[in-house]
C-alpha cells in the first residue's frame, strides 16, 4: 500500500503537467534568433507572440491558450531539423517558419517523413515567408501550408508593373546564392523576355547568403554596367547593407524588390536619397486605407516600435483558429482538411483562398513605392519621415499560377 501511495504521489504532478500541456496549443517558431538573420527572426517572433496574445484575448483556440515556442535555427537547415525534433519531443504539433527556402525545404521533407512514420501523431508546418515555388510544386506536401505568395507569383506581379515603365532600358540582377535567389533571377529573365524583350540585362550577380559585410564591390559593378534599374530578392541585412553601399557610392537607380521594407531597409533607402525609387511587391503595406488593419498596425507599433512586416502571419494565425473551430478539433490532420480550400477575408481587405491542390494561399498583391509622404499617409518607417505608397493592386484571382503538385493525402 505504501508503494502504491508513493507511486501515486509521483504520478500526480506528472499528470498535472500533462493536463496543463493539453490546455495549451504550442506553435514552434523555428527561425534565426542569432547570426546574420537574427534581426528578421526576432521581429517575426514578436509578431507571432503579438498574434498569440490577440487569439488568447478572444478565448484561445477551442478554449486553449496559444503559446509560441521560440527555437533558434541560425538560418541553417540542419539546425532547423534538430530544433523541429526538439519541438516535437516537447509536444509541439504545429511548426511555423519563414526565413530561408532551403530551411523550408528541409523542414517539409522532415515533417512529411515524420508523419508517415507516426500516424496519429502528425505535425503541420505553417510557412509564412519561404517563397521558393518548388515548395508548392515538386516538393508539395499535405503537411505544408504556405501563406506568402511564392516568388513566381510575386515576379509575375512585379514584371507586369515593370512592363509599363518605358524608362527601364538596362537592368541588373543581384540575388542571394541559394534556391530562392536562383528562382528570382531565372524567373525575372524569363518573364521580362516575354513581356519586355527590349530591356537589356547588363548584369546577373549572385552572392553568399547573409555573409557579405561590404557590398561596395557589387555596387561598383552595378554602377559600371550603366544599369538604370535593379531587381533583387535580397532580405534582412543583405538588403540593408546593399543599399548602404549604394548610398555611399551615390548610385541612383530604381530598385524593384521583394523585401525592401525589412529591418534597416527604409533607413538605408532614405540615406541613399532614393525618393520614390524603391518598389516592393507584397501582400500589403501599412498605409492601405483599411480600418482594422491600420488599427492592428498602430497597436503593434505602440507595443514593439516596428512595422508589420508579415501581414501573412496574421492571416495564418487567424485561419488556423478558424480551421480548428470548423474541424472542432486540434488534431493536425483534421485542421489541415479544414484549411484546404478555405476562403478568407484577408488582413488588409479583399478575398483570399487556400488552394487545395498544393496548399498555396492566394491573396491580393500590391506594388508600393517608398518615399516622402505627401498625402497625409498615416505611417512612416523607422522614423525616416518616408513611407510606403501604393502604385498597383492585383486581385487574388489575377495572381493564380498553375501548379505541378501531385499531393499524397493521408
Amino acid at each position: 500500500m505504501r508503494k502504491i501511495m508513493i507511486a501515486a504521489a509521483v504520478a500526480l504532478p506528472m499528470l498535472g503537467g500533462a493536463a496543463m500541456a493539453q490546455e495549451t496549443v504550442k506553435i514552434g517558431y523555428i527561425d534565426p534568433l542569432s547570426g546574420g538573420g537574427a534581426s528578421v527572426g526576432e521581429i517575426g517572433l514578436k509578431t507571432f507572440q503579438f498574434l498569440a496574445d490577440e487569439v488568447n484575448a478572444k478565448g484561445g483556440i477551442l478554449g486553449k491558450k496559444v503559446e509560441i515556442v521560440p527555437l533558434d535555427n541560425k538560418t541553417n537547415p540542419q539546425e532547423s531539423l534538430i530544433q523541429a525534433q526538439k519541438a516535437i519531443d516537447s509536444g509541439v504539433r504545429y511548426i511555423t517558419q519563414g526565413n530561408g527556402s532551403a530551411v523550408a525545404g528541409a523542414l517539409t521533407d522532415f515533417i512529411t517523413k515524420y508523419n508517415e512514420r507516426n500516424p496519429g501523431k502528425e505535425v503541420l508546418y505553417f510557412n509564412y515567408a519561404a517563397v521558393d515555388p518548388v515548395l508548392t510544386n515538386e516538393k508539395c506536401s499535405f503537411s505544408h501550408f504556405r501563406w506568402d505568395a511564392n516568388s513566381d507569383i510575386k515576379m509575375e506581379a512585379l514584371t507586369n508593373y515593370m512592363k509599363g515603365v518605358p524608362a527601364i532600358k538596362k537592368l541588373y540582377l543581384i540575388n542571394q546564392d541559394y534556391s530562392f535567389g536562383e528562382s528570382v533571377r531565372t524567373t525575372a529573365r524569363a518573364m521580362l523576355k516575354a513581356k519586355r524583350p527590349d530591356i537589356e540585362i547588363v548584369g546577373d550577380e549572385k552572392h553568399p547568403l547573409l555573409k557579405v559585410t561590404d557590398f561596395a564591390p557589387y555596387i561598383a559593378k552595378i554602377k559600371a554596367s550603366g544599369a538604370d534599374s535593379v531587381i533583387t530578392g535580397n532580405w534582412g541585412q543583405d538588403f540593408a547593407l546593399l543599399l548602404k553601399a549604394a548610398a555611399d557610392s551615390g548610385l541612383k537607380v530604381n530598385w524593384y524588390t521583394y523585401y525592401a521594407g525589412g529591418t534597416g531597409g527604409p533607413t538605408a533607402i532614405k540615406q541613399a536619397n532614393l525618393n520614390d525609387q524603391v518598389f516592393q511587391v507584397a501582400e500589403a503595406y501599412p498605409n492601405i486605407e483599411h480600418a482594422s488593419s491600420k488599427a492592428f498596425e498602430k497597436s503593434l507599433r505602440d507595443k514593439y516600435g516596428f512595422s508589420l512586416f508579415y501581414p501573412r502571419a496574421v492571416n495564418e494565425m487567424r485561419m488556423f483558429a478558424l480551421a480548428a473551430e470548423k474541424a472542432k478539433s486540434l488534431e493536425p490532420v483534421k485542421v489541415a482538411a479544414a484549411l484546404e480550400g478555405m476562403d478568407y477575408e484577408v488582413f488588409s481587405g479583399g478575398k483570399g483562398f487556400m488552394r487545395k491542390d498544393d496548399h498555396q494561399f492566394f491573396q491580393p498583391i500590391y506594388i508600393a513605392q517608398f518615399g516622402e509622404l505627401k498625402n497625409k499617409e498615416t505611417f512612416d518607417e523607422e522614423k525616416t519621415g518616408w513611407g510606403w505608397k501604393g502604385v498597383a493592386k492585383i486581385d487574388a484571382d489575377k495572381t493564380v499560377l498553375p501548379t505541378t503538385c501531385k499531393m499524397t493525402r493521408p
Side-chain angles (χ1 to χ4, degrees):
M1 178 64 71
R2 183 170 180 275
K3 288 181 179 178
I4 291 171
M5 290 176 68
I6 291 170
V10 171
L12 280 171
M14 294 175 65
L15 288 170
M20 286 181 67
Q22 290 171 3
E23 293 306 310
T24 303
V25 182
K26 293 184 177 181
I27 300 175
Y29 174 84
I30 300 179
D31 255 326
L33 301 174
S34 63
S39 61
V40 289
E42 287 285 357
I43 282 174
L45 175 59
K46 289 177 179 176
T47 301
F48 274 98
Q49 289 170 334
F50 189 86
L51 288 164
D53 290 343
E54 176 188 74
V55 172
N56 291 336
K58 296 177 181 177
I61 299 179
L62 296 181
K64 299 180 188 295
K65 182 180 178 181
V66 176
E67 176 190 353
I68 306 300
V69 180
L71 298 151
D72 181 15
N73 70 355
K74 306 174 179 65
T75 328
N76 180 282
Q78 276 305 117
E79 183 64 29
S80 299
L81 303 189
I82 294 169
Q83 296 302 324
Q85 187 63 62
K86 179 180 174 181
I88 292 167
D89 291 344
S90 71
V92 170
R93 299 185 73 182
Y94 294 91
I95 285 171
T96 195
Q97 177 271 343
N99 293 294
S101 288
V103 169
L107 282 173
T108 298
D109 288 344
F110 174 84
I111 292 171
T112 301
K113 289 173 184 174
Y114 172 86
N115 289 345
E116 289 170 353
R117 295 167 184 161
N118 296 275
K121 298 179 180 179
E122 289 86 358
V123 173
L124 288 187
Y125 164 33
F126 292 164
N127 172 1
Y128 72 93
V131 296
D132 189 341
V134 73
L135 297 167
T136 45
N137 285 290
E138 299 94 305
K139 290 177 74 72
C140 70
S141 168
F142 181 79
S143 308
H144 167 267
F145 288 82
R146 172 159 53 199
W147 271 268
D148 200 358
N150 74 37
S151 63
D152 284 358
I153 295 168
K154 291 184 178 184
M155 188 58 72
E156 177 80 3
L158 195 61
T159 52
N160 278 345
Y161 177 77
M162 294 174 70
K163 75 180 180 182
V165 183
I168 302 174
K169 302 293 185 185
K170 295 185 176 183
L171 180 73
Y172 202 101
L173 303 170
I174 180 165
N175 289 285
Q176 296 151 319
D177 189 8
Y178 76 116
S179 58
F180 163 60
E182 182 64 25
S183 175
V184 171
R185 60 181 289 272
T186 55
T187 307
R189 278 183 168 274
M191 289 185 176
L192 286 171
K193 184 177 180 180
K195 299 172 186 180
R196 279 288 305 275
D198 59 303
I199 293 177
E200 182 185 357
I201 307 295
V202 294
D204 189 351
E205 191 87 38
K206 294 191 292 184
H207 62 81
L209 174 66
L210 299 175
K211 291 182 179 178
V212 178
T213 56
D214 181 7
F215 278 91
Y218 297 96
I219 292 297
K221 289 183 182 180
I222 296 172
K223 209 168 185 179
S225 73
D228 53 63
S229 303
V230 174
I231 286 180
T232 182
N234 280 21
W235 55 271
Q237 70 176 32
D238 282 347
F239 182 79
L241 292 176
L242 179 65
L243 264 288
K244 180 181 181 300
D248 292 343
S249 75
L251 178 66
K252 299 283 285 185
V253 298
N254 290 331
W255 296 78
Y256 294 90
T257 79
Y258 281 44
Y259 302 117
T263 305
T267 299
I269 297 167
K270 177 71 179 290
Q271 289 173 345
N273 197 29
L274 295 171
N275 188 23
D276 291 341
Q277 289 184 258
V278 177
F279 299 81
Q280 177 175 267
V281 57
E283 77 278 16
Y285 59 95
N287 287 314
I288 292 174
E289 287 302 323
H290 183 257
S292 63
S293 60
K294 291 184 88 167
F296 183 100
E297 179 80 33
K298 184 178 185 306
S299 295
L300 183 70
R301 290 178 181 230
D302 287 347
K303 182 166 184 177
Y304 288 123
F306 59 72
S307 173
L308 178 62
F309 299 136
Y310 305 114
R312 49 200 176 267
V314 184
N315 295 331
E316 174 188 315
M317 287 288 283
R318 292 177 179 176
M319 287 177 69
F320 175 29
L322 287 173
E325 290 168 10
K326 180 182 176 183
K328 296 182 174 58
S329 174
L330 276 161
E331 285 300 311
V333 172
K334 293 180 180 179
V335 171
L339 280 170
E340 288 192 325
M342 180 182 281
D343 293 324
Y344 181 70
E345 181 78 16
V346 300
F347 167 73
S348 55
K351 300 296 183 182
F353 65 95
M354 181 64 73
R355 185 162 61 185
K356 182 177 179 178
D357 294 349
D358 58 351
H359 296 180
Q360 171 66 57
F361 188 61
F362 292 92
Q363 60 206 308
I365 296 292
Y366 297 85
I367 310 294
Q369 69 181 163
F370 190 77
E372 293 177 10
L373 298 176
K374 300 173 182 176
N375 296 311
K376 297 182 180 179
E377 293 90 351
T378 307
F379 301 109
D380 76 336
E381 301 298 323
E382 298 181 345
K383 300 180 180 179
T384 59
W386 288 11
W388 293 104
K389 301 163 290 184
V391 295
K393 177 187 177 183
I394 305 96
D395 289 331
D397 61 341
K398 300 295 193 300
T399 72
V400 176
L401 294 178
T403 180
T404 60
C405 174
K406 307 279 188 212
M407 188 176 291
T408 301
R409 288 181 165 80

